[in-house]
Amino acid sequence: MTLSEQLRIALDGKWRHVREQARVELAGMDLLYDPTLSMDQARDRVLEQLRKLVPTGIPAAGFTVENGGLGDPGMSVTGIEMLAQFDLSLMVKAGVQWGLFGGAIENLGTKRHHDAYVRDLISCDLLGCFAMTETGHGSDVQSLETTATYDPATQEFVIDSPTPSARKDYIGGAAAHARVAAVFAQLRTLDEDHGVHCFVVPIRDEEGHDLPGVTTSDCGPKGGLGAVDNGRIVFDQVRVPRENLLNRYGDVAEDGTYSSPIESRNARFFTMIGTLIRGRVSVGGSAGAAAEVALSIAGRYAVQRRQFVGVDEEARLIDYRVHQRRLLPLLARAYAYRFAQNQLVARMHRMQSGGTPDAQKQRELEGRAAGLKAAQTWYATRAIQEAREMCGGAGYLEENRLTRLRADTDVFTTFEGDNHVLMQLVAKEQLTAYAQEVGGLDPVGMVRFVAGTITDVVRERTAAPTLIQRLIDARPGKDSEHDLLDRGTQLQLFEDREQHVIETAARRLRRADKEDPAQAFAIFNDAQDHVVRVGVAHIDRIVLEAFTAGIARCEDEEAAELLRKVCSLYALSVVEEDAAWFMAHHRLTDSRAKQVTVEIDRLLAELAPQTLTLVEGLGVPEHTLGAAMLKA
């Protein structure tokens, strides 16, 4: 077995069989986007492709066996992620149909909804959409304006868009294909408001015409994802039966009485939203997959393309240090994020396969998913753009895919949650854990806590804690030669940074008076940049830990040794990018900061000859890249 094959095995993780199946089956389906098609033709083609996916098992994987599925959430997310290697429009279309629409039906509904809808939506006999986002509200779902008012006289809910800003906006499938919508609206009954719930609302007849009271419209051409039929929906007193309320977490009796197994309105809302986490997990993983395609193209081009050195001499692009600096750290991040994504998917799978999850673990999973989605989509935007530039003018040609990848992933940074908002969600989870530890301490107690047990607040979310602690404990002294290449030293640097930014953010926010909302908002607003930094520092740490744990699971020593170098390149690249912080907070001296750059350059020199091996290790088959310049 070749070294690149050993790398691929390590990277593929628990659902390796799904990835291998996808590399064969999906490659034979002619799924790459065709830029010569009109918008309507592209939409029809991707719908046809969606139906062809049904026999692969990917659509059924995310649903329980009782409902006609395979009961394998990890397979579902991994399969959707693999679609991103071919066409992001198809990935989004699949994610809407089986992840968002189907996920809402199964996770928020009960047996009557499962029996009525799930098998048909798996087979694409029922096409749906996920109508949450509104013109006036996106991230702030609790403030949606669409209403669902119960009428006891007819035992119906009346779905209405009371204001222009209540229009459902940018809804995938709403422009052309969807017949039914999972609509999020404020549930009102007997003059009481019970917050956001989800309803099954038919929007079109079999001929594709809007049903009475429903007005759909087309968002039209976008900056990317040209085959996704994004649309808008307005409801005007649309009546649906009482049974169309997805009632797992809240129900309305015939007489209008509301009941819920969760008494707290806030807890109920976040529990409902938490069940839909697969969408966010899929977006992050798919962004990473798209970046892997771009880097596979750019990496192969770098070892193929030659540039002049002298009169009779030529060198490959990868032989130039500046090109190594541009490409190899991005490849290192691709590896790092794949290991972190694998770990996230495994966590999600365990929680969604084991009955009712622990509330604390659910919140931790949501925070992890939010942070990795933000990190991976920001990374994809950067990596794909850099890959395009590294391929020069050839990279700008449509036939080489890079501009399409860049356009299609651009929106990933803002759908399934704006990245800056998501990083604040991550920080909130960390700060909440911190506050629980320090609550009630006097100033002296606070000082002692900061000096001691704050480390435990960080470590309790650590991957492979025994391994990580052992590496940190065994780290050499700062004066040791090449100590920056020691994994324990790198882990300690990341952990120190996270501890510090959590503690200082908490100190700034403790001044807020909960009894004075205006003052509390002002203090939070002033500290918002610091709060985002908490989220970034946390995600950087868990990614490094996931990479470290992934290396420990690699069974081939040659591959593991190469992965150790790639991991060090990832870690030191992060440190170098944030060198100002590490120096300002006395984690690095001037000389050690310079040594970070020296060590990175040494790693680049060692890894450059392995570029093709690292690219092949990502597991994107060369014949599926669809880049004409690589065939020249």
Side-chain angles (χ1 to χ4, degrees):
M1 191 174 292
T2 66
L3 180 55
S4 61
E5 288 172 331
Q6 292 288 356
L7 291 176
R8 190 176 74 239
I9 289 172
L11 270 183
D12 277 355
K14 181 176 180 178
W15 283 273
R16 178 190 171 203
H17 62 289
V18 179
R19 295 185 184 277
E20 291 289 8
Q21 174 191 355
R23 289 172 185 133
V24 175
E25 291 190 12
L26 299 183
M29 291 186 182
D30 187 27
L31 301 181
L32 292 183
Y33 183 83
D34 184 350
T36 66
L37 298 179
S38 68
M39 184 171 69
D40 288 340
Q41 289 172 330
R43 289 175 173 180
D44 289 343
R45 181 172 183 262
V46 87
L47 177 58
E48 179 184 349
Q49 292 170 333
L50 192 75
R51 298 185 192 279
K52 290 181 179 178
L53 293 176
V54 174
T56 68
I58 292 174
F63 299 91
T64 64
V65 174
E66 294 79 4
N67 295 330
L70 300 179
D72 192 341
M75 176 184 175
S76 173
V77 171
T78 303
I80 295 292
E81 179 185 318
M82 291 301 291
L83 292 175
Q85 290 190 2
F86 296 88
D87 182 8
L88 274 299
S89 285
L90 179 59
M91 171 262 151
V92 171
K93 191 78 170 175
V96 169
Q97 173 69 13
W98 297 306
L100 295 178
F101 174 63
I105 298 293
E106 181 164 77
N107 293 307
L108 301 181
T110 51
K111 189 176 187 302
R112 70 189 187 212
H113 307 107
H114 303 159
D115 292 345
Y117 303 114
V118 173
R119 285 171 174 78
D120 284 345
L121 70 87
I122 290 175
S123 65
C124 289
D125 290 331
L126 174 68
L127 297 174
C129 62
F130 185 79
M132 177 182 282
T133 299
E134 297 177 356
T135 304
H137 292 89
S139 297
D140 186 9
V141 177
Q142 280 185 290
S143 298
L144 294 177
E145 297 177 70
T146 301
T147 58
T149 305
Y150 184 65
D151 181 357
T154 62
Q155 295 186 30
E156 294 173 315
F157 283 100
V158 181
I159 312 297
D160 191 55
S161 306
T163 66
S165 58
R167 178 185 66 182
K168 296 297 181 181
D169 213 347
Y170 208 80
I171 309 302
H177 297 150
R179 297 292 182 267
V180 176
V183 178
F184 288 78
Q186 302 286 352
L187 190 159
R188 295 175 178 172
T189 180
L190 302 180
D191 297 323
E192 290 188 27
D193 188 336
H194 296 281
V196 172
H197 288 64
C198 190
F199 302 80
V200 179
V201 183
I203 59 173
R204 287 191 179 90
D205 61 23
E206 290 303 315
E207 285 71 45
H209 302 125
D210 289 349
L211 291 172
V214 177
T215 302
T216 65
S217 56
D218 199 321
C219 290
K222 306 180 295 292
L225 300 176
V228 181
D229 53 322
N230 293 96
R232 304 179 174 103
I233 314 174
V234 175
F235 301 100
D236 182 11
Q237 303 291 310
V238 176
R239 288 180 171 266
V240 298
R242 180 177 65 90
E243 291 76 14
N244 283 33
L245 165 65
L246 296 177
N247 63 333
R248 180 178 178 183
Y249 295 105
D251 204 358
V252 173
E254 292 183 6
D255 64 359
T257 303
Y258 178 82
S259 62
S260 172
I262 303 175
E263 185 175 347
S264 166
R265 176 168 165 166
N266 275 346
R268 183 168 60 244
F269 170 77
F270 285 110
T271 299
M272 287 192 291
I273 296 300
T275 66
L276 305 175
I277 193 173
R278 274 186 229 171
R280 192 166 282 166
V281 174
S282 294
V283 168
S286 296
E292 289 173 9
V293 173
L295 293 173
S296 295
I297 294 171
R300 290 181 181 277
Y301 190 72
V303 299
Q304 170 184 306
R305 175 76 169 178
R306 293 184 177 273
Q307 299 278 35
F308 60 86
V309 175
V311 176
D312 300 316
E313 195 175 6
E314 285 189 317
R316 301 173 307 164
L317 288 177
I318 196 60
D319 295 327
Y320 291 93
R321 177 54 53 83
V322 69
H323 208 83
Q324 297 167 7
R325 268 273 176 181
R326 298 171 72 186
L327 175 63
L328 294 177
L330 293 174
L331 270 175
R333 286 198 184 232
Y335 274 71
Y337 287 137
R338 177 80 80 81
F339 280 119
Q341 178 72 8
N342 288 347
Q343 189 181 88
L344 175 66
V345 172
R347 278 194 175 201
M348 180 214 74
H349 178 84
R350 287 194 299 271
M351 290 193 65
Q352 297 196 344
S353 302
T356 303
D358 174 78
Q360 176 63 27
K361 292 185 181 300
Q362 179 69 34
R363 287 194 299 272
E364 290 177 11
L365 178 67
E366 290 167 17
R368 180 79 52 100
L372 279 174
K373 181 269 177 181
Q376 290 187 93
T377 55
W378 271 328
Y379 159 74
T381 296
R382 169 187 167 193
I384 295 169
Q385 176 62 26
E386 193 68 44
R388 205 294 297 159
E389 293 183 25
M390 283 188 286
C391 293
Y396 197 61
L397 296 178
E398 178 78 42
E399 67 180 9
N400 290 319
R401 284 193 73 189
L402 293 169
T403 54
R404 174 63 47 194
L405 287 167
R406 182 180 60 188
D408 286 347
T409 56
D410 185 25
V411 74
F412 280 38
T413 59
T414 50
F415 74 43
E416 281 292 333
D418 175 272
N419 283 353
H420 288 87
V421 174
L422 293 184
M423 277 302 182
Q424 291 175 69
L425 187 155
V426 178
K428 179 182 178 182
E429 184 63 33
Q430 303 311 302
L431 290 165
T432 298
Y434 177 85
Q436 290 171 346
E437 293 289 338
V438 304
L441 292 182
D442 59 22
V444 174
M446 173 66 80
V447 170
R448 289 175 180 165
F449 176 82
V450 169
T453 56
I454 181 173
T455 301
D456 296 331
V457 175
V458 173
R459 285 180 189 157
E460 68 180 2
R461 286 165 177 76
T462 293
T466 302
L467 168 65
I468 300 302
Q469 190 58 48
R470 178 166 54 81
L471 290 169
I472 290 176
D473 291 342
R475 67 190 185 281
K478 291 183 180 180
D479 295 329
S480 301
E481 185 178 10
H482 304 319
D483 77 289
L484 290 167
L485 294 178
D486 176 75
R487 189 74 67 240
T489 298
Q490 296 162 4
L491 289 162
Q492 187 68 60
L493 282 170
F494 278 51
E495 188 172 285
D496 282 351
R497 180 178 60 157
E498 183 183 0
Q499 290 174 19
H500 184 89
V501 296
I502 288 175
E503 194 275 327
T504 52
R507 187 182 302 149
R508 292 178 67 178
L509 294 173
R510 275 171 65 93
R511 295 182 288 116
D513 181 358
K514 293 182 179 179
E515 303 302 320
D516 184 351
Q519 185 245 21
F521 173 77
I523 289 176
F524 176 80
N525 196 40
D526 287 343
Q528 210 166 12
D529 57 335
H530 200 144
V531 170
V532 171
R533 179 177 280 275
V534 170
V536 171
H538 176 68
I539 294 302
D540 283 345
R541 178 178 67 84
I542 66 169
V543 169
L544 178 58
E545 290 172 352
F547 203 152
T548 303
I551 295 171
R553 289 190 294 269
C554 181
E555 297 179 358
D556 182 82
E557 181 52 35
E558 185 182 8
E561 180 57 29
L562 182 55
L563 286 172
R564 291 184 191 105
K565 294 178 181 179
V566 176
C567 186
S568 285
L569 180 57
Y570 162 72
L572 294 184
S573 295
V574 172
V575 172
E576 186 180 55
E577 288 179 0
D578 207 14
W581 186 94
F582 284 101
M583 294 173 70
H585 294 84
H586 310 295
R587 268 59 178 187
L588 289 178
T589 62
D590 289 351
S591 61
R592 289 191 85 221
K594 292 176 183 176
Q595 190 63 30
V596 169
T597 299
V598 171
E599 299 292 5
I600 287 176
D601 286 342
R602 286 176 178 162
L603 287 167
L604 293 175
E606 293 177 18
L607 291 173
Q610 300 277 20
T611 298
L612 186 57
T613 297
L614 292 173
V615 165
E616 291 176 342
L618 293 175
V620 185
E622 184 176 12
H623 66 279
T624 69
L625 289 174
M629 65 185 175
L630 298 180
K631 303 172 185 177

